[in-house]
Amino acid sequence: MTVSWSTALRLAVQLAGPDTTDALIERLGPQLVAAVAERHRVPTAAVEPLTAWEEQGLWRAMTDDVAGFQGRAVASGDPDVARLLYVERHRRSPQLLAVILAAADPADPRWYAAGGLVPAVLEMTADLALEPALHGPFPELVEHAVMQLGPELPLPVVLDACHHLADLAGAAGVGELAKRVEATADELAHPGLAELLHTAAAAPDPSAFLQEQRPAEEWTDPAHAHALLRVRLRERDVQQPAGLGWELILREHDRRPFGGKRTPPENRYMDPLVCIVGWDGCPEELIGECLPDNFWAVLDAGARMPFEELVRVWNAKRGRSDEIVRRGALMGHVDRILTELTPARDVLDALPSHHEPTREAIAAVLAPLGTDPVNWLTFYARMGRTDGTAPELIADAVAVDSPKKRTTTWPRPLDAVFPVTAPRDSRAVFLNVLGCAPEAAQIAVVPHLDARAVQHFLVYGDPSPAVREAIVAAHGVPALASYASSRKLPAATVDYLFDLDEPAVDANLFAHCHIDQKERERLLAGRLRGGGTRTAVPEELLDALDEVNLGHYRHWLMAGLESGDLGVARKIVGRLRLQIPATRLRLLVAVWERGGPDAVREILAMDRLPATLRRQTEKLLDTPDGLDRLRDRLAEQEAPAKLIGHPPQKLAGDQIAIPWPAMIEALRAGSLPDNALRTLTEFPGCPPEILVEALPSITLPEVHHQRRNHHWVTTGLEQGTLTPEEVLTHAAPAQAALSHLDHAVSSLPPADRQALRSQVTALTDRHLGGNVEAWSVCLQLLPTFAGTLTELISTAGAVAQV
């Protein structure tokens, strides 16, 4: 059975109507059972118990939400359904067991049969899925859950379960539990529990006795006990429950430690104690107990670390040391980190310079450097050669009476790189630190940076306008050109650089930045941001065209098609194979308009255009009306009637907009080229008229359960350029139409979904009505029917009446 058949069968039983459904189900019994089994992922033999518990079970199993139907099924209290969904299908979640137990009648012997729920739960060991059994209706399961989960739970919660057992099984049940607890090595980690249960079993009212022994107002919120159990059972990502006091948690830790040294290193992230120390307000005693064996896990949990522990791990230098400093700064230890940890460069490198309190602390430490560039250059030169703290490094840098030679120029200067690469090592540290300094210090220092540092500070340092102007004043246009070499410049920065109208800057923006196509057209036309037009496009920009990757960015060169600039035109003709006559003529007309016939001769001399075009154009170059005649030929080639004769892919490659109105007209006239209809559907902006005409040739998605939105039918339905009604009445073959329609309708608004349902119902009522034979014929024809769904339904109705 294919997925499409299952879908069709489900829709059929939905649409057939109450009077027809029972007969249709009876007629299609085996197929329907198979469809239910597929939908609910159960064996066909299990369909009967799954659906027999309620009236019209088969119909509901096919039409209702799967999760909702199964939820109602297990809530029915039917032991066979519980066995099927909980035991045999291994869906052993605590939520599912809770629903089953809430509806179960312990008097039904099927619960206890081999393979039934009770034997299955009795085989479970300590697991979160066993928690609902503590309060369920089966004494055996309550006792078993206490024995398995008792060590993990606080005494008040254990006593609640024992109290419940006493209500279910009386003194005998409590006495049996007492014997089992007594036989354990540690009384389920609750000393005295066995004696307490023996006393309760001997009391006139065991239930009342246990209630009196329960500590009042402790662990009364089920959410608190549930969270604690998840922690004990090493569940991941346990959230701190609201209202649970640390006093109760500490007492539980004293009763039975949460973890620590008992956890193997490979499992330390699942350590219960690690989970708890990440909760807000965790006492330092718990953090300190967990740290020696689980430092990184505790750090990842977000616990506040004692500074001494950070120092210990930092000095050990075992991987991720920079994270120690970063987390320590965010915890509020930044002042001590700067003044106590070494070496200075590594510490400064690890600090989170985006964190405002950290920036302020760094600025305070840097204050002795002042605005003297020599201090800063010396600080940079000695940064990688000191083992001291940051204040010690700075003090050494400003000491004018030191025997060490002070640095007056940038050590080992480097040129800028294109595109920019991120700074590393001491460069990165110095520039981050400089970014934390006061603006006056930055203005004093930036004239002394090398070209690479200037580039890095502009791109990654986000300098203020005043600092940026100081850089430009000192380093000139080359600094701005290197600034324009990043792919991720903010829009405001790009606008600032464009407004300069500097050729080298424009060239780098063109080559390295994600800018709008309109800006590329402006640059290649030589138009200035400030108004006016350059006589010729600068060489810097022409050189950038040589580096364009045509496999990805062909449209960058096509942006200069109408520039008319001779240099740009030479680059385009030299690097691209223009595919459409109109594109070639458009380039030649633009060159003639801007540079005259001699410029056109230079393009033709490149021998890159078709021979016929070259000969025809050469004849026009010396005639008075040559340009007008060339324009006429361009208009002729740009006429929609001409363009529709070219493959849409070639039009798009030459940046020619697809003439949709002409395509629609050709479609109506029957003159659209072969295969063009199907190809056009894949282009953005394809009009509904063409999409509808292509519907009779749709195909079934290759993998139904992995269908993506890239298919044009589904995309059209989701974007509203196709309507479900059009798919219903125009799409063929019927099986493919049904598949796409069923997928898309699920995302429709409720009102639209109901409107479509009403339309389909009216259609099936008109042709199929309550005729079971007609419905059967419709389903049998579906896999091979070549027409639309509407035609399928009407055909099935006609066949059934013969």
Side-chain angles (χ1 to χ4, degrees):
M1 175 181 294
T2 67
V3 175
S4 295
W5 168 260
S6 178
T7 298
L9 192 54
R10 175 169 55 86
L11 294 174
V13 298
Q14 284 181 313
L15 296 169
D19 296 334
T20 311
T21 297
D22 290 340
L24 186 60
I25 289 174
E26 183 177 349
R27 176 70 176 270
L28 302 174
Q31 295 97 320
L32 189 61
V33 167
V36 170
E38 178 184 318
R39 188 165 193 247
H40 291 267
R41 298 182 182 178
V42 298
T44 54
V47 171
E48 182 178 355
L50 178 65
T51 58
W53 62 273
E54 70 173 343
E55 194 172 342
Q56 293 184 320
L58 274 174
W59 182 79
R60 293 186 179 278
M62 278 297 286
T63 58
D64 291 358
D65 173 71
V66 171
F69 176 82
Q70 292 185 357
R72 295 199 315 274
V74 295
S76 67
D78 189 318
D80 292 331
V81 174
R83 172 184 53 77
L84 170 66
L85 295 180
Y86 186 82
V87 180
E88 295 183 4
R89 305 307 296 166
H90 300 287
R91 299 174 184 175
R92 301 191 179 183
S93 71
Q95 296 82 4
L96 186 58
L97 182 59
V99 172
I100 292 171
L101 294 179
D105 177 7
D108 191 327
R110 290 179 294 169
W111 292 109
Y112 306 90
L117 179 80
V118 171
V121 176
L122 288 174
E123 292 177 358
M124 295 171 61
T125 54
D127 188 276
L128 192 66
L130 194 56
E131 184 183 18
L134 289 166
H135 309 290
F138 297 97
E140 305 93 326
L141 299 188
V142 177
E143 180 181 330
H144 178 67
V146 170
M147 293 301 299
Q148 293 296 321
L149 301 179
E152 321 297 342
L153 295 169
L155 180 62
V157 179
V158 174
L159 292 180
D160 287 339
C162 294
H163 173 267
H164 180 58
L165 178 63
D167 289 340
L168 295 176
V174 176
E176 182 61 29
L177 178 60
K179 294 176 184 178
R180 294 187 63 184
V181 172
E182 191 173 34
T184 62
D186 61 352
E187 297 186 271
L188 305 183
H190 294 289
L193 178 60
E195 181 180 353
L196 188 152
L197 292 177
H198 278 303
T199 304
D205 187 346
S207 180
F209 177 83
L210 289 169
Q211 184 66 30
E212 292 173 0
Q213 298 303 310
R214 188 202 193 282
E217 300 181 1
E218 292 185 13
W219 298 98
T220 56
D221 189 336
H224 293 173
H226 177 68
L228 179 71
L229 183 60
R230 291 191 64 204
V231 170
R232 291 284 196 191
L233 295 177
R234 303 176 185 273
E235 294 279 320
R236 289 184 178 271
D237 303 321
V238 183
Q239 300 300 312
Q240 182 176 8
L244 177 55
W246 281 105
E247 180 183 354
L248 291 178
I249 296 176
L250 288 171
R251 280 161 53 186
E252 269 299 291
H253 182 58
D254 290 339
R255 176 185 72 83
R256 183 165 177 254
F258 284 111
K261 295 181 179 180
R262 295 184 300 105
T263 304
E266 63 271 17
N267 295 329
R268 63 184 182 272
Y269 294 100
M270 295 177 64
D271 186 287
L273 190 55
V274 170
C275 175
I276 286 178
V277 298
W279 290 356
D280 291 339
C282 180
E284 289 190 4
E285 59 195 90
L286 288 183
I287 297 175
E289 183 176 338
C290 190
L291 279 172
D293 296 310
N294 296 295
F295 177 85
W296 291 109
V298 173
L299 189 70
D300 289 340
R304 180 179 173 82
M305 296 286 189
F307 180 72
E308 293 71 21
E309 191 65 23
L310 296 178
V311 172
R312 178 183 71 82
V313 178
W314 171 261
N315 290 335
K317 297 296 181 186
R318 291 198 304 267
R320 294 178 63 189
S321 296
D322 56 338
E323 194 168 345
I324 295 293
V325 169
R326 185 175 67 83
R327 298 281 187 91
L330 297 178
M331 292 175 189
H333 297 309
V334 62
D335 291 327
R336 296 191 66 182
I337 287 172
L338 282 167
T339 56
E340 298 182 35
L341 293 189
T342 62
R345 191 188 77 167
D346 293 348
V347 173
L348 291 170
D349 187 29
L351 283 170
S353 56
H354 62 280
H355 181 237
E356 192 56 37
T358 299
R359 294 177 63 86
E360 293 173 359
I362 293 174
V365 170
L366 295 173
L369 295 176
T371 58
D372 186 348
V374 175
N375 287 344
W376 283 89
L377 292 170
T378 305
F379 165 69
Y380 171 61
R382 298 178 183 177
M383 181 184 297
R385 302 197 298 267
T386 181
D387 294 327
T389 65
E392 291 170 348
L393 169 62
I394 291 168
D396 181 51
V398 301
V400 295
D401 55 352
S402 171
K404 300 178 184 178
K405 182 180 179 180
R406 306 190 76 209
T407 305
T408 57
T409 59
W410 187 271
R412 298 174 299 281
L414 297 175
D415 293 331
V417 293
F418 301 88
V420 66
T421 56
R424 299 174 57 190
D425 304 325
S426 294
R427 281 181 177 272
V429 177
F430 178 79
L431 294 173
N432 280 336
V433 166
L434 181 61
C436 298
E439 189 176 84
Q442 295 182 36
I443 291 174
V445 172
V446 292
H448 302 273
L449 304 180
D450 72 345
R452 183 80 59 87
V454 166
Q455 182 184 38
H456 285 151
F457 198 57
L458 284 169
V459 173
Y460 298 103
D462 191 26
S464 68
V467 175
R468 184 173 63 190
E469 293 310 312
I471 294 174
V472 175
H475 298 277
V477 173
L480 294 168
S482 71
Y483 194 6
S485 63
S486 171
R487 298 185 185 280
K488 297 182 179 180
L489 292 178
T493 299
V494 173
D495 281 338
Y496 161 78
L497 293 171
F498 268 139
D499 287 342
L500 299 173
D501 281 327
E502 284 287 350
V505 175
D506 287 346
N508 279 326
L509 289 170
F510 187 97
H512 303 299
C513 292
H514 293 296
I515 59 177
D516 188 78
Q517 183 74 354
K518 291 295 183 182
E519 287 292 352
R520 297 190 187 280
E521 293 173 1
R522 180 184 67 80
L523 292 175
L524 295 185
R527 296 194 300 274
L528 301 174
R529 264 290 185 97
T533 302
R534 292 187 172 103
T535 303
V537 172
E539 288 295 326
E540 294 93 334
L541 195 53
L542 297 180
D543 291 342
L545 296 181
D546 290 332
E547 305 301 323
V548 173
N549 183 331
L550 299 182
H552 296 283
Y553 305 115
R554 175 187 169 94
H555 62 285
W556 288 13
L557 261 72
M558 293 300 296
L561 187 69
E562 297 182 75
S563 160
D565 180 83
L566 179 58
V568 172
R570 289 180 64 87
K571 296 294 183 181
I572 293 174
V573 173
R575 297 205 64 197
L576 298 180
R577 180 69 65 183
L578 301 178
Q579 305 179 84
I580 307 297
T583 308
R584 303 168 192 139
L585 288 168
R586 190 184 302 173
L587 179 138
L588 293 174
V589 167
V591 170
W592 196 333
E593 289 174 340
R594 183 165 180 167
D598 289 340
V600 176
R601 286 190 178 93
E602 288 198 37
I603 298 299
L604 298 179
M606 294 176 66
D607 197 20
R608 292 277 297 173
L609 296 176
T612 301
L613 175 62
R614 293 201 308 271
R615 288 196 303 269
Q616 292 175 344
T617 306
E618 286 170 353
K619 293 177 181 179
L620 300 177
L621 293 177
D622 294 323
T623 61
D625 60 346
L627 178 57
D628 290 335
R629 291 167 63 183
L630 193 62
R631 286 174 178 150
D632 292 341
R633 288 175 55 195
L634 171 60
E636 177 185 342
Q637 290 296 330
E638 283 187 327
K642 281 282 189 180
L643 293 179
I644 63 174
H646 299 288
Q649 298 95 325
K650 290 188 175 182
L651 292 175
D654 276 7
Q655 302 291 291
I656 295 179
I658 295 178
W660 292 116
M663 292 292 186
I664 294 173
E665 187 64 30
L667 177 65
R668 291 170 178 167
S671 59
L672 197 65
D674 293 342
N675 301 323
L677 181 64
R678 177 66 181 81
T679 303
L680 288 171
T681 62
E682 303 291 348
F683 282 86
C686 184
E689 294 90 336
I690 292 178
L691 293 176
V692 170
E693 287 297 324
L695 283 174
S697 60
I698 63 174
T699 58
L700 193 67
E702 292 182 4
V703 184
H704 186 90
H705 66 282
Q706 293 180 349
R707 187 189 290 106
R708 297 293 184 263
N709 294 339
H710 303 301
H711 193 278
W712 63 273
V713 178
T714 305
T715 303
L717 285 165
E718 293 184 347
Q719 294 179 348
T721 51
L722 277 177
T723 66
E725 293 81 3
E726 288 168 339
V727 175
L728 180 67
T729 55
H730 295 282
Q735 186 181 30
L738 179 64
S739 179
H740 288 292
L741 190 61
D742 180 65
H743 175 71
V745 165
S746 62
S747 63
L748 287 174
D752 293 344
R753 196 180 310 159
Q754 185 57 44
L756 178 63
R757 180 183 176 86
S758 299
Q759 181 181 350
V760 177
T761 301
L763 180 65
T764 55
D765 284 349
R766 183 166 65 253
H767 293 284
L768 307 180
N771 189 333
V772 177
E773 181 64 28
W775 281 100
S776 179
V777 169
C778 183
L779 292 168
Q780 291 171 4
L781 290 176
L782 174 66
T784 58
F785 193 80
T788 67
L789 284 168
T790 301
E791 292 168 345
L792 169 66
I793 293 170
S794 62
T795 300
V799 169
Q801 294 174 7
V802 175

